[in-house]
Amino acid sequence: MKTLRNLLQATFSAPRNAPRDQHRAARQEAKRLAALHSICIEKLPGGGMNVWPPAGFVEDPCEGDHYAHNWGDALEQVRMYLPPAVP
């Protein structure tokens, strides 16, 4: 009887809270900035991503190393490709 009760409780109880997504804010900001400035974020099948500059970008600060391990790294690279702020 105890086993049946445990099985029914597991089946009909509310789901547990999902773990918090640590990279959500960085992911949203990186995607937003990339879309605004024609920067390409290429997700790789084994994990991680490459961040490519917009077409016509003259000096690439990430020359030869476009790989980002997570969305925080990707956001940093995307910010490198943004045009300088005009005062």
Side-chain angles (χ1 to χ4, degrees):
M1 199 61 165
K2 199 176 210 182
T3 305
L4 178 60
R5 183 178 55 107
N6 289 341
L7 289 173
L8 289 173
Q9 185 177 11
T11 302
F12 294 109
S13 62
R16 294 181 184 215
N17 293 338
R20 186 173 170 268
D21 184 2
Q22 298 174 347
H23 298 286
R24 180 179 181 181
R27 179 179 62 246
Q28 288 177 334
E29 183 67 5
K31 286 184 174 186
R32 184 185 73 79
L33 291 171
L36 285 174
H37 299 281
S38 302
I39 299 168
C40 179
I41 300 174
E42 172 190 13
K43 292 182 78 176
L44 301 174
M49 59 211 81
N50 284 328
V51 180
W52 301 103
F57 199 79
V58 180
E59 293 184 28
D60 188 356
C62 299
E63 184 69 38
D65 186 21
H66 294 273
Y67 182 77
H69 294 280
N70 57 44
W71 284 104
D73 293 344
L75 179 58
E76 287 179 28
Q77 286 186 358
V78 166
R79 286 183 175 152
M80 283 190 233
Y81 294 132
L82 296 179
V86 179

Tab-separated table of all heavy atoms in Angstrom, residues 20-74:
chain	number	residue	atom	x	y	z
A	20	ARG	N	17.395	27.323	-11.818
A	20	ARG	CA	17.484	28.661	-12.380
A	20	ARG	C	18.508	28.691	-13.511
A	20	ARG	O	19.592	28.137	-13.392
A	20	ARG	CB	17.891	29.635	-11.283
A	20	ARG	CG	17.877	31.062	-11.692
A	20	ARG	CD	18.134	31.956	-10.474
A	20	ARG	NE	18.348	33.302	-10.901
A	20	ARG	CZ	19.536	33.829	-11.167
A	20	ARG	NH1	20.619	33.094	-11.007
A	20	ARG	NH2	19.646	35.074	-11.565
A	21	ASP	N	18.166	29.344	-14.619
A	21	ASP	CA	19.068	29.488	-15.751
A	21	ASP	C	20.053	30.615	-15.460
A	21	ASP	O	19.689	31.786	-15.478
A	21	ASP	CB	18.261	29.781	-17.020
A	21	ASP	CG	19.125	29.846	-18.262
A	21	ASP	OD1	20.347	29.638	-18.164
A	21	ASP	OD2	18.559	30.107	-19.343
A	22	GLN	N	21.307	30.279	-15.213
A	22	GLN	CA	22.307	31.259	-14.810
A	22	GLN	C	22.712	32.191	-15.949
A	22	GLN	O	23.207	33.285	-15.707
A	22	GLN	CB	23.544	30.557	-14.281
A	22	GLN	CG	23.283	29.727	-13.054
A	22	GLN	CD	24.499	28.933	-12.636
A	22	GLN	OE1	25.464	28.810	-13.383
A	22	GLN	NE2	24.459	28.380	-11.436
A	23	HIS	N	22.544	31.760	-17.180
A	23	HIS	CA	23.019	32.531	-18.325
A	23	HIS	C	21.894	33.262	-19.061
A	23	HIS	O	22.125	33.810	-20.136
A	23	HIS	CB	23.747	31.616	-19.308
A	23	HIS	CG	24.964	30.979	-18.710
A	23	HIS	ND1	26.128	31.676	-18.483
A	23	HIS	CD2	25.188	29.726	-18.267
A	23	HIS	CE1	27.016	30.878	-17.945
A	23	HIS	NE2	26.471	29.686	-17.794
A	24	ARG	N	20.708	33.292	-18.492
A	24	ARG	CA	19.559	33.863	-19.191
A	24	ARG	C	19.763	35.337	-19.546
A	24	ARG	O	19.560	35.743	-20.682
A	24	ARG	CB	18.298	33.701	-18.349
A	24	ARG	CG	17.080	34.278	-19.019
A	24	ARG	CD	15.841	34.085	-18.182
A	24	ARG	NE	14.700	34.641	-18.876
A	24	ARG	CZ	13.489	34.643	-18.415
A	24	ARG	NH1	13.242	34.112	-17.240
A	24	ARG	NH2	12.512	35.156	-19.101
A	25	ALA	N	20.164	36.151	-18.585
A	25	ALA	CA	20.319	37.588	-18.833
A	25	ALA	C	21.405	37.840	-19.880
A	25	ALA	O	21.212	38.644	-20.803
A	25	ALA	CB	20.649	38.317	-17.535
A	26	ALA	N	22.532	37.139	-19.772
A	26	ALA	CA	23.624	37.309	-20.740
A	26	ALA	C	23.185	36.843	-22.123
A	26	ALA	O	23.498	37.490	-23.133
A	26	ALA	CB	24.856	36.538	-20.286
A	27	ARG	N	22.458	35.733	-22.195
A	27	ARG	CA	21.989	35.210	-23.481
A	27	ARG	C	21.045	36.198	-24.159
A	27	ARG	O	21.189	36.506	-25.343
A	27	ARG	CB	21.297	33.860	-23.282
A	27	ARG	CG	20.768	33.253	-24.578
A	27	ARG	CD	20.096	31.904	-24.357
A	27	ARG	NE	18.947	32.002	-23.501
A	27	ARG	CZ	18.858	31.462	-22.286
A	27	ARG	NH1	19.856	30.765	-21.792
A	27	ARG	NH2	17.765	31.587	-21.569
A	28	GLN	N	20.088	36.719	-23.404
A	28	GLN	CA	19.127	37.661	-23.976
A	28	GLN	C	19.817	38.934	-24.463
A	28	GLN	O	19.520	39.430	-25.548
A	28	GLN	CB	18.052	38.003	-22.946
A	28	GLN	CG	17.099	36.863	-22.692
A	28	GLN	CD	16.083	37.195	-21.599
A	28	GLN	OE1	16.328	38.016	-20.730
A	28	GLN	NE2	14.938	36.536	-21.666
A	29	GLU	N	20.746	39.456	-23.677
A	29	GLU	CA	21.449	40.683	-24.064
A	29	GLU	C	22.352	40.440	-25.269
A	29	GLU	O	22.407	41.254	-26.192
A	29	GLU	CB	22.256	41.229	-22.884
A	29	GLU	CG	22.964	42.518	-23.166
A	29	GLU	CD	22.045	43.708	-23.381
A	29	GLU	OE1	20.806	43.579	-23.223
A	29	GLU	OE2	22.561	44.787	-23.724
A	30	ALA	N	23.067	39.308	-25.295
A	30	ALA	CA	23.940	38.990	-26.428
A	30	ALA	C	23.126	38.845	-27.714
A	30	ALA	O	23.516	39.380	-28.760
A	30	ALA	CB	24.725	37.710	-26.149
A	31	LYS	N	22.006	38.152	-27.641
A	31	LYS	CA	21.161	37.981	-28.833
A	31	LYS	C	20.573	39.312	-29.287
A	31	LYS	O	20.493	39.586	-30.484
A	31	LYS	CB	20.045	36.973	-28.556
A	31	LYS	CG	20.526	35.541	-28.508
A	31	LYS	CD	19.362	34.603	-28.324
A	31	LYS	CE	19.779	33.163	-28.419
A	31	LYS	NZ	18.630	32.244	-28.370
A	32	ARG	N	20.173	40.149	-28.347
A	32	ARG	CA	19.590	41.448	-28.697
A	32	ARG	C	20.618	42.330	-29.401
A	32	ARG	O	20.357	42.881	-30.473
A	32	ARG	CB	19.076	42.143	-27.434
A	32	ARG	CG	18.354	43.456	-27.701
A	32	ARG	CD	17.978	44.153	-26.399
A	32	ARG	NE	19.118	44.722	-25.716
A	32	ARG	CZ	19.706	45.875	-26.054
A	32	ARG	NH1	19.251	46.575	-27.058
A	32	ARG	NH2	20.743	46.321	-25.369
A	33	LEU	N	21.809	42.440	-28.809
A	33	LEU	CA	22.854	43.262	-29.401
A	33	LEU	C	23.323	42.707	-30.745
A	33	LEU	O	23.584	43.462	-31.687
A	33	LEU	CB	24.044	43.387	-28.442
A	33	LEU	CG	23.802	44.211	-27.187
A	33	LEU	CD1	24.980	44.082	-26.228
A	33	LEU	CD2	23.537	45.655	-27.535
A	34	ALA	N	23.435	41.383	-30.844
A	34	ALA	CA	23.861	40.762	-32.094
A	34	ALA	C	22.860	41.053	-33.215
A	34	ALA	O	23.250	41.364	-34.341
A	34	ALA	CB	24.032	39.258	-31.909
A	35	ALA	N	21.585	40.994	-32.914
A	35	ALA	CA	20.562	41.266	-33.928
A	35	ALA	C	20.598	42.731	-34.359
A	35	ALA	O	20.431	43.038	-35.545
A	35	ALA	CB	19.186	40.910	-33.389
A	36	LEU	N	20.828	43.634	-33.432
A	36	LEU	CA	20.860	45.068	-33.758
A	36	LEU	C	22.059	45.455	-34.618
A	36	LEU	O	21.980	46.379	-35.420
A	36	LEU	CB	20.889	45.904	-32.472
A	36	LEU	CG	19.591	46.024	-31.693
A	36	LEU	CD1	19.847	46.748	-30.376
A	36	LEU	CD2	18.559	46.770	-32.508
A	37	HIS	N	23.188	44.743	-34.436
A	37	HIS	CA	24.435	45.150	-35.082
A	37	HIS	C	24.958	44.120	-36.085
A	37	HIS	O	26.135	44.177	-36.461
A	37	HIS	CB	25.489	45.447	-34.017
A	37	HIS	CG	25.089	46.555	-33.108
A	37	HIS	ND1	25.182	47.878	-33.460
A	37	HIS	CD2	24.559	46.545	-31.868
A	37	HIS	CE1	24.747	48.633	-32.473
A	37	HIS	NE2	24.356	47.847	-31.487
A	38	SER	N	24.126	43.195	-36.534
A	38	SER	CA	24.483	42.188	-37.554
A	38	SER	C	25.686	41.341	-37.147
A	38	SER	O	26.548	41.034	-37.961
A	38	SER	CB	24.736	42.854	-38.909
A	38	SER	OG	23.608	43.568	-39.323
A	39	ILE	N	25.756	40.979	-35.882
A	39	ILE	CA	26.813	40.105	-35.373
A	39	ILE	C	26.250	38.686	-35.350
A	39	ILE	O	25.118	38.466	-34.942
A	39	ILE	CB	27.250	40.554	-33.962
A	39	ILE	CG1	27.803	41.985	-34.013
A	39	ILE	CG2	28.267	39.588	-33.373
A	39	ILE	CD1	27.991	42.619	-32.658
A	40	CYS	N	27.048	37.736	-35.795
A	40	CYS	CA	26.575	36.347	-35.896
A	40	CYS	C	27.058	35.536	-34.692
A	40	CYS	O	28.245	35.497	-34.394
A	40	CYS	CB	27.091	35.728	-37.187
A	40	CYS	SG	26.582	34.021	-37.399
A	41	ILE	N	26.118	34.892	-34.014
A	41	ILE	CA	26.445	33.953	-32.933
A	41	ILE	C	26.100	32.564	-33.453
A	41	ILE	O	24.948	32.244	-33.685
A	41	ILE	CB	25.659	34.264	-31.652
A	41	ILE	CG1	25.979	35.673	-31.154
A	41	ILE	CG2	25.975	33.229	-30.575
A	41	ILE	CD1	25.149	36.121	-29.980
A	42	GLU	N	27.140	31.758	-33.648
A	42	GLU	CA	26.983	30.414	-34.208
A	42	GLU	C	27.123	29.386	-33.090
A	42	GLU	O	28.202	29.198	-32.543
A	42	GLU	CB	28.057	30.195	-35.276
A	42	GLU	CG	28.127	28.805	-35.806
A	42	GLU	CD	29.366	28.583	-36.670
A	42	GLU	OE1	30.287	29.421	-36.657
A	42	GLU	OE2	29.405	27.538	-37.328
A	43	LYS	N	26.008	28.728	-32.732
A	43	LYS	CA	26.057	27.693	-31.695
A	43	LYS	C	26.711	26.444	-32.280
A	43	LYS	O	26.410	26.043	-33.390
A	43	LYS	CB	24.660	27.394	-31.187
A	43	LYS	CG	24.069	28.572	-30.395
A	43	LYS	CD	22.706	28.262	-29.861
A	43	LYS	CE	22.843	27.385	-28.653
A	43	LYS	NZ	21.576	27.101	-27.993
A	44	LEU	N	27.599	25.834	-31.520
A	44	LEU	CA	28.319	24.655	-31.969
A	44	LEU	C	27.691	23.397	-31.386
A	44	LEU	O	27.212	23.407	-30.246
A	44	LEU	CB	29.788	24.758	-31.556
A	44	LEU	CG	30.525	25.985	-32.113
A	44	LEU	CD1	31.924	26.081	-31.524
A	44	LEU	CD2	30.573	25.935	-33.617
A	45	PRO	N	27.680	22.284	-32.147
A	45	PRO	CA	27.010	21.071	-31.680
A	45	PRO	C	27.616	20.476	-30.408
A	45	PRO	O	26.914	19.892	-29.605
A	45	PRO	CB	27.136	20.099	-32.856
A	45	PRO	CG	28.088	20.707	-33.810
A	45	PRO	CD	28.235	22.148	-33.486
A	46	GLY	N	28.901	20.634	-30.171
A	46	GLY	CA	29.528	20.063	-28.982
A	46	GLY	C	29.437	20.958	-27.759
A	46	GLY	O	29.909	20.621	-26.690
A	47	GLY	N	28.811	22.122	-27.911
A	47	GLY	CA	28.720	23.091	-26.826
A	47	GLY	C	29.544	24.326	-27.152
A	47	GLY	O	30.448	24.296	-27.969
A	48	GLY	N	29.206	25.408	-26.547
A	48	GLY	CA	29.887	26.655	-26.826
A	48	GLY	C	29.380	27.285	-28.111
A	48	GLY	O	28.405	26.825	-28.719
A	49	MET	N	30.038	28.348	-28.545
A	49	MET	CA	29.617	29.060	-29.748
A	49	MET	C	30.759	29.892	-30.290
A	49	MET	O	31.728	30.170	-29.585
A	49	MET	CB	28.413	29.943	-29.442
A	49	MET	CG	28.656	30.977	-28.370
A	49	MET	SD	27.210	31.378	-27.408
A	49	MET	CE	27.156	30.047	-26.254
A	50	ASN	N	30.643	30.261	-31.562
A	50	ASN	CA	31.552	31.200	-32.195
A	50	ASN	C	30.803	32.508	-32.374
A	50	ASN	O	29.630	32.511	-32.739
A	50	ASN	CB	32.024	30.703	-33.555
A	50	ASN	CG	33.068	29.621	-33.440
A	50	ASN	OD1	33.855	29.605	-32.506
A	50	ASN	ND2	33.088	28.713	-34.391
A	51	VAL	N	31.493	33.613	-32.134
A	51	VAL	CA	30.909	34.937	-32.323
A	51	VAL	C	31.678	35.599	-33.457
A	51	VAL	O	32.895	35.791	-33.368
A	51	VAL	CB	31.006	35.787	-31.034
A	51	VAL	CG1	30.396	37.155	-31.246
A	51	VAL	CG2	30.312	35.080	-29.882
A	52	TRP	N	30.971	35.926	-34.545
A	52	TRP	CA	31.585	36.490	-35.733
A	52	TRP	C	31.223	37.962	-35.860
A	52	TRP	O	30.092	38.355	-35.623
A	52	TRP	CB	31.128	35.733	-36.976
A	52	TRP	CG	31.467	34.275	-36.906
A	52	TRP	CD1	30.619	33.251	-36.623
A	52	TRP	CD2	32.751	33.683	-37.103
A	52	TRP	NE1	31.287	32.059	-36.628
A	52	TRP	CE2	32.606	32.292	-36.924
A	52	TRP	CE3	34.004	34.186	-37.411
A	52	TRP	CZ2	33.665	31.409	-37.051
A	52	TRP	CZ3	35.057	33.297	-37.541
A	52	TRP	CH2	34.877	31.927	-37.359
A	53	PRO	N	32.202	38.791	-36.266
A	53	PRO	CA	31.941	40.228	-36.395
A	53	PRO	C	31.005	40.522	-37.565
A	53	PRO	O	30.831	39.685	-38.452
A	53	PRO	CB	33.334	40.809	-36.648
A	53	PRO	CG	34.105	39.704	-37.276
A	53	PRO	CD	33.573	38.443	-36.652
A	54	PRO	N	30.445	41.722	-37.589
A	54	PRO	CA	29.603	42.101	-38.725
A	54	PRO	C	30.454	42.242	-39.985
A	54	PRO	O	31.668	42.436	-39.913
A	54	PRO	CB	29.008	43.443	-38.296
A	54	PRO	CG	29.876	43.946	-37.212
A	54	PRO	CD	30.516	42.763	-36.578
A	55	ALA	N	29.818	42.139	-41.123
A	55	ALA	CA	30.522	42.273	-42.401
A	55	ALA	C	31.169	43.648	-42.482
A	55	ALA	O	30.593	44.650	-42.062
A	55	ALA	CB	29.545	42.076	-43.553
A	56	GLY	N	32.393	43.686	-42.986
A	56	GLY	CA	33.097	44.950	-43.140
A	56	GLY	C	33.806	45.419	-41.888
A	56	GLY	O	34.330	46.530	-41.859
A	57	PHE	N	33.868	44.601	-40.866
A	57	PHE	CA	34.546	44.980	-39.620
A	57	PHE	C	36.048	45.014	-39.903
A	57	PHE	O	36.622	44.045	-40.393
A	57	PHE	CB	34.209	43.982	-38.512
A	57	PHE	CG	34.469	44.495	-37.132
A	57	PHE	CD1	33.575	45.360	-36.531
A	57	PHE	CD2	35.602	44.123	-36.438
A	57	PHE	CE1	33.800	45.842	-35.252
A	57	PHE	CE2	35.838	44.597	-35.159
A	57	PHE	CZ	34.936	45.458	-34.567
A	58	VAL	N	36.718	46.116	-39.613
A	58	VAL	CA	38.104	46.321	-40.021
A	58	VAL	C	39.093	45.587	-39.119
A	58	VAL	O	39.804	44.693	-39.559
A	58	VAL	CB	38.432	47.832	-40.058
A	58	VAL	CG1	39.865	48.058	-40.483
A	58	VAL	CG2	37.477	48.540	-40.999
A	59	GLU	N	39.184	45.939	-37.847
A	59	GLU	CA	40.143	45.320	-36.933
A	59	GLU	C	39.407	44.405	-35.969
A	59	GLU	O	38.639	44.866	-35.137
A	59	GLU	CB	40.908	46.392	-36.169
A	59	GLU	CG	41.832	47.221	-37.036
A	59	GLU	CD	42.637	48.190	-36.216
A	59	GLU	OE1	42.910	47.914	-35.028
A	59	GLU	OE2	42.983	49.240	-36.771
A	60	ASP	N	39.693	43.112	-36.074
A	60	ASP	CA	39.006	42.113	-35.258
A	60	ASP	C	39.782	41.872	-33.963
A	60	ASP	O	40.880	41.320	-33.987
A	60	ASP	CB	38.868	40.814	-36.041
A	60	ASP	CG	38.006	39.788	-35.361
A	60	ASP	OD1	37.564	40.041	-34.220
A	60	ASP	OD2	37.762	38.737	-35.953
A	61	PRO	N	39.247	42.281	-32.801
A	61	PRO	CA	39.955	42.054	-31.535
A	61	PRO	C	40.022	40.574	-31.158
A	61	PRO	O	40.838	40.187	-30.322
A	61	PRO	CB	39.148	42.849	-30.514
A	61	PRO	CG	37.791	42.983	-31.101
A	61	PRO	CD	37.982	42.983	-32.595
A	62	CYS	N	39.203	39.750	-31.755
A	62	CYS	CA	39.193	38.306	-31.456
A	62	CYS	C	39.805	37.501	-32.604
A	62	CYS	O	39.479	36.329	-32.778
A	62	CYS	CB	37.764	37.837	-31.212
A	62	CYS	SG	36.953	38.630	-29.840
A	63	GLU	N	40.656	38.107	-33.381
A	63	GLU	CA	41.255	37.455	-34.544
A	63	GLU	C	41.794	36.074	-34.183
A	63	GLU	O	42.635	35.938	-33.296
A	63	GLU	CB	42.389	38.318	-35.106
A	63	GLU	CG	43.012	37.778	-36.373
A	63	GLU	CD	42.085	37.859	-37.565
A	63	GLU	OE1	41.354	38.847	-37.687
A	63	GLU	OE2	42.083	36.914	-38.363
A	64	GLY	N	41.294	35.058	-34.843
A	64	GLY	CA	41.760	33.694	-34.638
A	64	GLY	C	41.130	32.966	-33.464
A	64	GLY	O	41.334	31.769	-33.313
A	65	ASP	N	40.378	33.648	-32.622
A	65	ASP	CA	39.750	32.992	-31.471
A	65	ASP	C	38.348	33.551	-31.268
A	65	ASP	O	38.137	34.437	-30.450
A	65	ASP	CB	40.587	33.175	-30.210
A	65	ASP	CG	40.039	32.386	-29.032
A	65	ASP	OD1	39.290	31.416	-29.260
A	65	ASP	OD2	40.345	32.738	-27.887
A	66	HIS	N	37.395	33.025	-32.004
A	66	HIS	CA	36.018	33.498	-31.921
A	66	HIS	C	35.166	32.623	-31.011
A	66	HIS	O	33.969	32.835	-30.896
A	66	HIS	CB	35.398	33.539	-33.333
A	66	HIS	CG	36.055	34.551	-34.206
A	66	HIS	ND1	35.659	35.853	-34.245
A	66	HIS	CD2	37.095	34.446	-35.059
A	66	HIS	CE1	36.413	36.519	-35.091
A	66	HIS	NE2	37.297	35.694	-35.596
A	67	TYR	N	35.774	31.630	-30.347
A	67	TYR	CA	35.035	30.675	-29.525
A	67	TYR	C	34.667	31.289	-28.170
A	67	TYR	O	35.483	31.946	-27.527
A	67	TYR	CB	35.874	29.412	-29.303
A	67	TYR	CG	35.161	28.366	-28.495
A	67	TYR	CD1	34.172	27.580	-29.071
A	67	TYR	CD2	35.472	28.163	-27.162
A	67	TYR	CE1	33.510	26.616	-28.328
A	67	TYR	CE2	34.813	27.197	-26.418
A	67	TYR	CZ	33.834	26.435	-27.007
A	67	TYR	OH	33.182	25.485	-26.275
A	68	ALA	N	33.436	31.071	-27.755
A	68	ALA	CA	32.959	31.473	-26.428
A	68	ALA	C	32.437	30.222	-25.718
A	68	ALA	O	31.656	29.469	-26.296
A	68	ALA	CB	31.863	32.519	-26.544
A	69	HIS	N	32.853	30.018	-24.476
A	69	HIS	CA	32.453	28.829	-23.718
A	69	HIS	C	30.998	28.891	-23.272
A	69	HIS	O	30.318	27.874	-23.234
A	69	HIS	CB	33.337	28.666	-22.475
A	69	HIS	CG	34.756	28.375	-22.800
A	69	HIS	ND1	35.194	27.129	-23.134
A	69	HIS	CD2	35.843	29.187	-22.867
A	69	HIS	CE1	36.478	27.163	-23.388
A	69	HIS	NE2	36.901	28.407	-23.234
A	70	ASN	N	30.544	30.096	-22.908
A	70	ASN	CA	29.175	30.243	-22.416
A	70	ASN	C	28.635	31.597	-22.862
A	70	ASN	O	29.313	32.357	-23.551
A	70	ASN	CB	29.132	30.086	-20.893
A	70	ASN	CG	30.040	31.063	-20.187
A	70	ASN	OD1	30.096	32.244	-20.522
A	70	ASN	ND2	30.768	30.582	-19.191
A	71	TRP	N	27.421	31.913	-22.441
A	71	TRP	CA	26.782	33.153	-22.889
A	71	TRP	C	27.433	34.390	-22.292
A	71	TRP	O	27.410	35.462	-22.894
A	71	TRP	CB	25.293	33.105	-22.590
A	71	TRP	CG	24.584	32.236	-23.561
A	71	TRP	CD1	24.124	30.975	-23.342
A	71	TRP	CD2	24.282	32.544	-24.923
A	71	TRP	NE1	23.558	30.484	-24.494
A	71	TRP	CE2	23.637	31.428	-25.480
A	71	TRP	CE3	24.498	33.660	-25.732
A	71	TRP	CZ2	23.206	31.396	-26.800
A	71	TRP	CZ3	24.069	33.627	-27.048
A	71	TRP	CH2	23.436	32.501	-27.571
A	72	GLY	N	28.046	34.279	-21.140
A	72	GLY	CA	28.769	35.412	-20.566
A	72	GLY	C	29.963	35.788	-21.436
A	72	GLY	O	30.203	36.969	-21.722
A	73	ASP	N	30.711	34.773	-21.888
A	73	ASP	CA	31.837	35.014	-22.796
A	73	ASP	C	31.345	35.567	-24.132
A	73	ASP	O	31.961	36.463	-24.711
A	73	ASP	CB	32.612	33.723	-23.048
A	73	ASP	CG	33.338	33.204	-21.829
A	73	ASP	OD1	33.512	33.981	-20.862
A	73	ASP	OD2	33.730	32.022	-21.840
A	74	ALA	N	30.247	35.030	-24.631
A	74	ALA	CA	29.689	35.496	-25.901
A	74	ALA	C	29.277	36.959	-25.804
A	74	ALA	O	29.522	37.746	-26.723
A	74	ALA	CB	28.501	34.634	-26.313
